[in-house]
PDB file of all heavy atoms in Angstrom:
ATOM      1  N   CYS A 111       5.763  -9.644   6.144  1.00 98.00           N
ATOM      2  CA  CYS A 111       5.448  -9.198   7.491  1.00 98.00           C
ATOM      3  C   CYS A 111       6.293  -9.731   8.545  1.00 98.00           C
ATOM      4  O   CYS A 111       6.741  -9.057   9.517  1.00 98.00           O
ATOM      5  CB  CYS A 111       3.952  -9.495   7.795  1.00 98.00           C
ATOM      6  SG  CYS A 111       2.773  -8.620   6.729  1.00 98.00           S
ATOM      7  N   THR A 112       6.685 -11.015   8.388  1.00 98.00           N
ATOM      8  CA  THR A 112       7.600 -11.665   9.371  1.00 98.00           C
ATOM      9  C   THR A 112       9.010 -10.919   9.343  1.00 98.00           C
ATOM     10  O   THR A 112       9.541 -10.655  10.427  1.00 98.00           O
ATOM     11  CB  THR A 112       7.734 -13.157   9.019  1.00 98.00           C
ATOM     12  OG1 THR A 112       6.471 -13.758   9.041  1.00 98.00           O
ATOM     13  CG2 THR A 112       8.724 -13.802  10.002  1.00 98.00           C
ATOM     14  N   TYR A 113       9.481 -10.691   8.132  1.00 98.00           N
ATOM     15  CA  TYR A 113      10.775 -10.080   8.051  1.00 98.00           C
ATOM     16  C   TYR A 113      10.796  -8.711   8.627  1.00 98.00           C
ATOM     17  O   TYR A 113      11.737  -8.406   9.403  1.00 98.00           O
ATOM     18  CB  TYR A 113      11.189 -10.028   6.576  1.00 98.00           C
ATOM     19  CG  TYR A 113      12.604  -9.555   6.343  1.00 98.00           C
ATOM     20  CD1 TYR A 113      13.750 -10.322   6.558  1.00 98.00           C
ATOM     21  CD2 TYR A 113      12.862  -8.158   6.068  1.00 98.00           C
ATOM     22  CE1 TYR A 113      15.038  -9.861   6.376  1.00 98.00           C
ATOM     23  CE2 TYR A 113      14.154  -7.655   5.913  1.00 98.00           C
ATOM     24  CZ  TYR A 113      15.253  -8.533   6.072  1.00 98.00           C
ATOM     25  OH  TYR A 113      16.511  -8.029   5.985  1.00 98.00           O
ATOM     26  N   ILE A 114       9.800  -7.884   8.320  1.00 98.00           N
ATOM     27  CA  ILE A 114       9.719  -6.548   8.803  1.00 98.00           C
ATOM     28  C   ILE A 114       9.596  -6.544  10.359  1.00 98.00           C
ATOM     29  O   ILE A 114      10.179  -5.773  11.116  1.00 98.00           O
ATOM     30  CB  ILE A 114       8.627  -5.721   8.178  1.00 98.00           C
ATOM     31  CG1 ILE A 114       8.976  -5.558   6.707  1.00 98.00           C
ATOM     32  CG2 ILE A 114       8.548  -4.315   8.849  1.00 98.00           C
ATOM     33  CD1 ILE A 114       7.929  -4.903   5.864  1.00 98.00           C
ATOM     34  N   ALA A 115       8.760  -7.432  10.879  1.00 98.00           N
ATOM     35  CA  ALA A 115       8.539  -7.529  12.342  1.00 98.00           C
ATOM     36  C   ALA A 115       9.818  -7.891  13.045  1.00 98.00           C
ATOM     37  O   ALA A 115      10.181  -7.326  14.060  1.00 98.00           O
ATOM     38  CB  ALA A 115       7.440  -8.596  12.623  1.00 98.00           C
ATOM     39  N   ILE A 116      10.548  -8.862  12.449  1.00 97.00           N
ATOM     40  CA  ILE A 116      11.922  -9.202  13.001  1.00 97.00           C
ATOM     41  C   ILE A 116      12.841  -8.014  13.062  1.00 97.00           C
ATOM     42  O   ILE A 116      13.539  -7.719  14.061  1.00 97.00           O
ATOM     43  CB  ILE A 116      12.512 -10.359  12.229  1.00 97.00           C
ATOM     44  CG1 ILE A 116      11.749 -11.664  12.427  1.00 97.00           C
ATOM     45  CG2 ILE A 116      14.000 -10.542  12.590  1.00 97.00           C
ATOM     46  CD1 ILE A 116      12.210 -12.815  11.511  1.00 97.00           C
ATOM     47  N   GLN A 117      12.897  -7.206  11.969  1.00 97.00           N
ATOM     48  CA  GLN A 117      13.690  -6.052  11.895  1.00 97.00           C
ATOM     49  C   GLN A 117      13.239  -4.986  12.981  1.00 97.00           C
ATOM     50  O   GLN A 117      14.097  -4.354  13.562  1.00 97.00           O
ATOM     51  CB  GLN A 117      13.607  -5.434  10.496  1.00 97.00           C
ATOM     52  CG  GLN A 117      14.132  -6.327   9.377  1.00 97.00           C
ATOM     53  CD  GLN A 117      15.490  -6.932   9.611  1.00 97.00           C
ATOM     54  OE1 GLN A 117      16.456  -6.239   9.900  1.00 97.00           O
ATOM     55  NE2 GLN A 117      15.537  -8.237   9.512  1.00 97.00           N
ATOM     56  N   LEU A 118      11.987  -4.855  13.177  1.00 96.00           N
ATOM     57  CA  LEU A 118      11.519  -3.921  14.221  1.00 96.00           C
ATOM     58  C   LEU A 118      11.938  -4.407  15.622  1.00 96.00           C
ATOM     59  O   LEU A 118      12.322  -3.547  16.456  1.00 96.00           O
ATOM     60  CB  LEU A 118      10.009  -3.801  14.123  1.00 96.00           C
ATOM     61  CG  LEU A 118       9.441  -2.988  12.892  1.00 96.00           C
ATOM     62  CD1 LEU A 118       7.997  -3.273  12.773  1.00 96.00           C
ATOM     63  CD2 LEU A 118       9.776  -1.553  13.034  1.00 96.00           C
ATOM     64  N   PHE A 119      11.873  -5.713  15.876  1.00 96.00           N
ATOM     65  CA  PHE A 119      12.229  -6.220  17.114  1.00 96.00           C
ATOM     66  C   PHE A 119      13.770  -6.077  17.342  1.00 96.00           C
ATOM     67  O   PHE A 119      14.254  -6.089  18.520  1.00 96.00           O
ATOM     68  CB  PHE A 119      11.813  -7.688  17.347  1.00 96.00           C
ATOM     69  CG  PHE A 119      10.379  -7.786  17.818  1.00 96.00           C
ATOM     70  CD1 PHE A 119       9.387  -8.186  16.875  1.00 96.00           C
ATOM     71  CD2 PHE A 119      10.005  -7.471  19.078  1.00 96.00           C
ATOM     72  CE1 PHE A 119       8.045  -8.281  17.331  1.00 96.00           C
ATOM     73  CE2 PHE A 119       8.691  -7.598  19.510  1.00 96.00           C
ATOM     74  CZ  PHE A 119       7.702  -7.988  18.627  1.00 96.00           C
ATOM     75  N   LYS A 120      14.553  -6.037  16.295  1.00 95.00           N
ATOM     76  CA  LYS A 120      15.981  -5.902  16.426  1.00 95.00           C
ATOM     77  C   LYS A 120      16.420  -4.472  16.770  1.00 95.00           C
ATOM     78  O   LYS A 120      17.582  -4.199  17.175  1.00 95.00           O
ATOM     79  CB  LYS A 120      16.688  -6.284  15.097  1.00 95.00           C
ATOM     80  CG  LYS A 120      16.698  -7.795  14.844  1.00 95.00           C
ATOM     81  CD  LYS A 120      17.463  -8.056  13.580  1.00 95.00           C
ATOM     82  CE  LYS A 120      17.580  -9.571  13.250  1.00 95.00           C
ATOM     83  NZ  LYS A 120      18.309  -9.810  12.024  1.00 95.00           N
ATOM     84  N   LEU A 121      15.540  -3.460  16.571  1.00 94.00           N
ATOM     85  CA  LEU A 121      15.858  -2.106  16.887  1.00 94.00           C
ATOM     86  C   LEU A 121      16.232  -1.922  18.356  1.00 94.00           C
ATOM     87  O   LEU A 121      15.466  -2.390  19.211  1.00 94.00           O
ATOM     88  CB  LEU A 121      14.759  -1.178  16.482  1.00 94.00           C
ATOM     89  CG  LEU A 121      14.395  -1.069  15.015  1.00 94.00           C
ATOM     90  CD1 LEU A 121      13.231  -0.078  14.768  1.00 94.00           C
ATOM     91  CD2 LEU A 121      15.611  -0.641  14.134  1.00 94.00           C
ATOM     92  N   SER A 122      17.202  -1.186  18.648  1.00 91.00           N
ATOM     93  CA  SER A 122      17.620  -0.874  19.983  1.00 91.00           C
ATOM     94  C   SER A 122      16.618   0.165  20.585  1.00 91.00           C
ATOM     95  O   SER A 122      15.864   0.754  19.796  1.00 91.00           O
ATOM     96  CB  SER A 122      18.987  -0.327  20.104  1.00 91.00           C
ATOM     97  OG  SER A 122      19.086   0.973  19.466  1.00 91.00           O
ATOM     98  N   ALA A 123      16.643   0.345  21.869  1.00 90.00           N
ATOM     99  CA  ALA A 123      15.730   1.341  22.450  1.00 90.00           C
ATOM    100  C   ALA A 123      16.050   2.724  21.940  1.00 90.00           C
ATOM    101  O   ALA A 123      15.117   3.534  21.704  1.00 90.00           O
ATOM    102  CB  ALA A 123      15.952   1.325  23.980  1.00 90.00           C
ATOM    103  N   GLU A 124      17.298   3.028  21.721  1.00 90.00           N
ATOM    104  CA  GLU A 124      17.673   4.306  21.178  1.00 90.00           C
ATOM    105  C   GLU A 124      17.199   4.482  19.748  1.00 90.00           C
ATOM    106  O   GLU A 124      16.650   5.537  19.343  1.00 90.00           O
ATOM    107  CB  GLU A 124      19.228   4.511  21.207  1.00 90.00           C
ATOM    108  CG  GLU A 124      19.667   5.907  20.708  1.00 90.00           C
ATOM    109  CD  GLU A 124      21.175   5.937  20.741  1.00 90.00           C
ATOM    110  OE1 GLU A 124      21.850   5.082  21.302  1.00 90.00           O
ATOM    111  OE2 GLU A 124      21.639   6.993  20.227  1.00 90.00           O
ATOM    112  N   GLU A 125      17.311   3.451  18.888  1.00 91.00           N
ATOM    113  CA  GLU A 125      16.853   3.525  17.558  1.00 91.00           C
ATOM    114  C   GLU A 125      15.332   3.607  17.495  1.00 91.00           C
ATOM    115  O   GLU A 125      14.780   4.297  16.656  1.00 91.00           O
ATOM    116  CB  GLU A 125      17.257   2.310  16.782  1.00 91.00           C
ATOM    117  CG  GLU A 125      18.799   2.221  16.528  1.00 91.00           C
ATOM    118  CD  GLU A 125      19.305   0.924  15.981  1.00 91.00           C
ATOM    119  OE1 GLU A 125      18.617  -0.089  16.205  1.00 91.00           O
ATOM    120  OE2 GLU A 125      20.323   0.963  15.330  1.00 91.00           O
ATOM    121  N   SER A 126      14.664   2.881  18.382  1.00 90.00           N
ATOM    122  CA  SER A 126      13.183   2.995  18.407  1.00 90.00           C
ATOM    123  C   SER A 126      12.690   4.321  18.867  1.00 90.00           C
ATOM    124  O   SER A 126      11.619   4.819  18.433  1.00 90.00           O
ATOM    125  CB  SER A 126      12.700   1.905  19.399  1.00 90.00           C
ATOM    126  OG  SER A 126      12.940   0.632  18.997  1.00 90.00           O
ATOM    127  N   ALA A 127      13.503   5.010  19.679  1.00 86.00           N
ATOM    128  CA  ALA A 127      13.126   6.307  20.152  1.00 86.00           C
ATOM    129  C   ALA A 127      13.410   7.492  19.225  1.00 86.00           C
ATOM    130  O   ALA A 127      12.830   8.533  19.275  1.00 86.00           O
ATOM    131  CB  ALA A 127      13.705   6.577  21.477  1.00 86.00           C
ATOM    132  N   HIS A 128      14.367   7.182  18.284  1.00 83.00           N
ATOM    133  CA  HIS A 128      14.794   8.242  17.352  1.00 83.00           C
ATOM    134  C   HIS A 128      14.772   7.719  15.886  1.00 83.00           C
ATOM    135  O   HIS A 128      15.539   6.874  15.560  1.00 83.00           O
ATOM    136  CB  HIS A 128      16.199   8.688  17.731  1.00 83.00           C
ATOM    137  CG  HIS A 128      16.723   9.762  16.833  1.00 83.00           C
ATOM    138  ND1 HIS A 128      16.256  11.035  16.833  1.00 83.00           N
ATOM    139  CD2 HIS A 128      17.733   9.759  15.870  1.00 83.00           C
ATOM    140  CE1 HIS A 128      16.878  11.797  15.984  1.00 83.00           C
ATOM    141  NE2 HIS A 128      17.772  11.040  15.409  1.00 83.00           N
ATOM    142  N   ASP A 129      13.843   8.216  15.166  1.00 86.00           N
ATOM    143  CA  ASP A 129      13.741   7.960  13.671  1.00 86.00           C
ATOM    144  C   ASP A 129      13.759   6.465  13.432  1.00 86.00           C
ATOM    145  O   ASP A 129      14.600   5.873  12.733  1.00 86.00           O
ATOM    146  CB  ASP A 129      14.880   8.520  12.952  1.00 86.00           C
ATOM    147  CG  ASP A 129      14.817  10.070  12.929  1.00 86.00           C
ATOM    148  OD1 ASP A 129      13.653  10.587  12.967  1.00 86.00           O
ATOM    149  OD2 ASP A 129      15.882  10.720  12.957  1.00 86.00           O
ATOM    150  N   PRO A 130      12.757   5.648  13.981  1.00 91.00           N
ATOM    151  CA  PRO A 130      12.713   4.204  13.773  1.00 91.00           C
ATOM    152  C   PRO A 130      12.659   3.801  12.290  1.00 91.00           C
ATOM    153  O   PRO A 130      13.212   2.759  11.907  1.00 91.00           O
ATOM    154  CB  PRO A 130      11.453   3.820  14.535  1.00 91.00           C
ATOM    155  CG  PRO A 130      10.566   5.048  14.635  1.00 91.00           C
ATOM    156  CD  PRO A 130      11.606   6.174  14.758  1.00 91.00           C
ATOM    157  N   MET A 131      11.976   4.531  11.413  1.00 93.00           N
ATOM    158  CA  MET A 131      11.828   4.158  10.026  1.00 93.00           C
ATOM    159  C   MET A 131      13.230   4.253   9.348  1.00 93.00           C
ATOM    160  O   MET A 131      13.510   3.390   8.527  1.00 93.00           O
ATOM    161  CB  MET A 131      10.815   5.078   9.250  1.00 93.00           C
ATOM    162  CG  MET A 131       9.375   4.829   9.623  1.00 93.00           C
ATOM    163  SD  MET A 131       8.881   3.182   9.077  1.00 93.00           S
ATOM    164  CE  MET A 131       9.015   3.356   7.260  1.00 93.00           C
TER     165      MET A 131
END
Side-chain angles (χ1 to χ4, degrees):
C111 295
T112 301
Y113 185 80
I114 295 174
I116 289 171
Q117 300 308 307
L118 288 167
F119 277 105
K120 285 182 177 179
L121 295 180
S122 66
E124 183 180 353
E125 289 171 337
S126 297
H128 180 67
D129 294 328
M131 286 296 293

